[in-house]
Amino acid sequence: MPLPIENVDTDQIIPARFLKAVERKGFGDNLFRDWRYNADGSPKADFPLNMEKYSGRILVGGKNFGSGSSREHAAWAVYDYGFRVVVSSFFADIFKGNALNNGLLPVVVSPGFLKKIFDAIEKNPEATFTVNLEKQTFIIDQTNETESFEINPYKKHCLQNGLDDIDFLVEMKDEIAAFEAK
Amino acid sequence: MQKTLFDKIWDAHVVKQVEAGPDVLYIDRHLIHEVTSPVAFLGLKTRRLKVFRPDKTTATPDHNVPTVDQHLSIKDELSRHQVEMLKRNCEEHGIIHYGLGTEGHGVVHIIGPEMGLTQPGMTIVCGDSHTSTHGAFGAIAFGIGTSEVEMVLASQCIMQPKPKKMRITVNGQLGKGVTAKDIALYIISKISTSGGTGHFIEYAGAAITNLTMEGRMTLCNLSIESGARGGMIAPDETTFNYMKGRKYVPQGSEWDKALAKWNELKSDEGAVFDTDYTFDAADIEPMITYGTNPGMGIGVTQNIPETKGMEGTDKVTYEKSLSYMGYAPGEKMAGKAIDFVFLGSCTNGRIEDFREFARFVKGKKKAPNVTAWLVPGSKQVENQIRAEGLVEILEAAGFELRQPGCSACLAMNDDKIPTGKYSVSTSNRNFEGRQGPGARTLLASPITAAAAAVTGVITDPRELLAP
Ligand code: SF4
């Protein structure tokens, strides 16, 4: 799914008026709400998410994706809609952290490679891509062009094994208490 | 080895370094509000956990609350539910909660400093990006996501890779009518909304140390808009004078002990920063934004930049932004009509902001075409506005005061700017729809907002200031 816009901020990903839920579910319906729908609720035909020719579980965004607020709802919305990977040449810090904490993989590629991805989709909306977390590579299947991406080894381990930070920290309680006593 | 202020505080809070992973960082103060905490509490419940250190946690509802008739029950059902949920969660876990209408209530980043919860050398987090505000006291303060809120509730710790360090020095003296807000918008216009990404900023230089605490908070508040995790300023006499005697600040001999420690909190001579910027205060004018991110700002006397030299997604993004705003490249900002003025938010909702606004509009009249929302950042600010006689000045000029909350900073409560309308706002984000679907936001300082409020058009405030 291509979204060739820069500085996509969290207020666009999920507008504030949809942050009133007290559970994690159901945010996908309002993902990119104001770009996706007209005021009367009808879909905007020229927005990529509404174009039949595009689909898939990889969201490809312009540079500085996820800037703005710390609302984790943005990551939940992207995930809930069905995406599992977001690609950009640059992510805002908090969004990146939130994504990783929710099983959504942020993949940073070079600006040049990002352009190649957009070009590939423009040429062929059915172009496919392979993301290999183990090898840390992103591949444009049709041309076999590959770029490797970085991920913190600890986070990679968590993602691969479905572990989370909270369990890790709760296990450390004695150590934390000892630190406090210092 | 010489250390930066940031290193000193960070390193003192590392409980453990995970091999090839993030640091386990101990958190001294956790602030929570109604929007980003309910799912975290739900998570605790699912895991059958209690809050680990309730005494280090403080709560207040701010995002959802109405700014009129706060004694009545909140009309919007979902908003009311979130606000009530916060109260219930706090009761269950023994967390101090400053509810709507009470003395301690207000925007979370206003009440922290106001009550002395914010102190030098601390690590402070909140599920809100503008937590960077608290860095003004020489603390490491940053916004976190809800999973991280859950981590801190469960363990008083967070897992974070250590960010890089940036120093931004602003030398010289600010001109007439130029404020901390203008410094911040100027810096972001120079380094862009992603220029600070991956970094923590320390601000330095004469123009910074001459700022009041309120000004420093405004500047640190906006650090996040440059993409940085946070911003900080080394504590000094200005900091200590502001803090002394506040509710949660150490008293008596404890104060002297704390002071001795806080005096050590500065970057060592020769400490190395990953990135360094230097600006001159004399180059900074009153600023205004013309686009849909905080980096799209210019001096109020300047013209909207042309698209020459832009290409690809850069150009598409720029044109999309201007078309949303209803502006064209090359146009002059001064003289453009506006509809709304919003004074408030965690950026500019403090007492000094109201003093400046009142001083400016004193003896003048609000323009008839302008709707103005003046929203104190906290109950304490509201009380002070009344005690200092500012209400009378504001009312004589045709303005009225509302009750504390986030208000029109984000379109989550009743205060929404209507579609297509122009709002000169002292808040922090001019994203599409930030102040309401279709609303057009122009970020500026309280003085520039006051100038627009009395003239009805974008105005260089210096033209109306006494020499
Ligand atoms: S005033 Fe605005 S930026 Fe500050 S906490 Fe409230 S909504 Fe967030």
Side-chain angles (χ1 to χ4, degrees), chain A residues 16 69 71, chain B residues 33 62-64 107-110 126-131 133 221 224-225 342 344-348 377 405-413 427-429 434:
Chain A
S69 100
R71 58 184 72 155
Chain B
H33 63 80
D62 51 7
H63 286 61
N64 271 290
V107 178
V108 65
H109 309 310
I110 305 255
C126 172
D128 190 285
S129 53
H130 293 98
T131 309
T133 313
N221 172 281
I224 179 76
E225 305 308 333
F342 170 53
S345 88
C346 59
T347 309
N348 284 124
C406 292
S407 182
C409 176
L410 93 172
M412 213 176 157
N413 47 67
S427 55
N428 40 59
R429 287 190 175 135
R434 171 77 180 184

Side-chain angles (χ1 to χ4, degrees), chain A residues 18-107:
Chain A
F18 300 113
L19 306 184
K20 298 187 182 186
V22 292
E23 285 176 77
R24 204 180 291 242
K25 293 192 279 273
F27 289 98
D29 291 344
N30 294 314
L31 175 68
F32 298 118
R33 178 76 203 197
D34 295 336
W35 283 351
R36 206 165 134 198
Y37 298 104
N38 294 307
D40 64 6
S42 59
K44 294 185 182 178
D46 60 352
F47 189 65
L49 261 63
N50 296 327
M51 295 185 188
E52 237 171 68
K53 60 179 176 181
Y54 300 129
S55 62
R57 310 217 299 167
I58 304 174
L59 178 64
V60 189
K63 129 180 125 201
N64 200 20
F65 189 92
S67 59
S69 100
S70 62
R71 58 184 72 155
E72 193 161 313
H73 313 68
W76 300 340
V78 174
Y79 187 93
D80 190 55
Y81 182 88
F83 295 116
R84 292 297 174 267
V85 176
V86 199
V87 186
S88 176
S89 56
F90 201 95
F91 287 97
D93 288 329
I94 304 184
F95 179 82
K96 195 166 160 186
N98 285 340
L100 284 166
N101 282 334
N102 286 280
L104 178 68
L105 177 65
V107 172

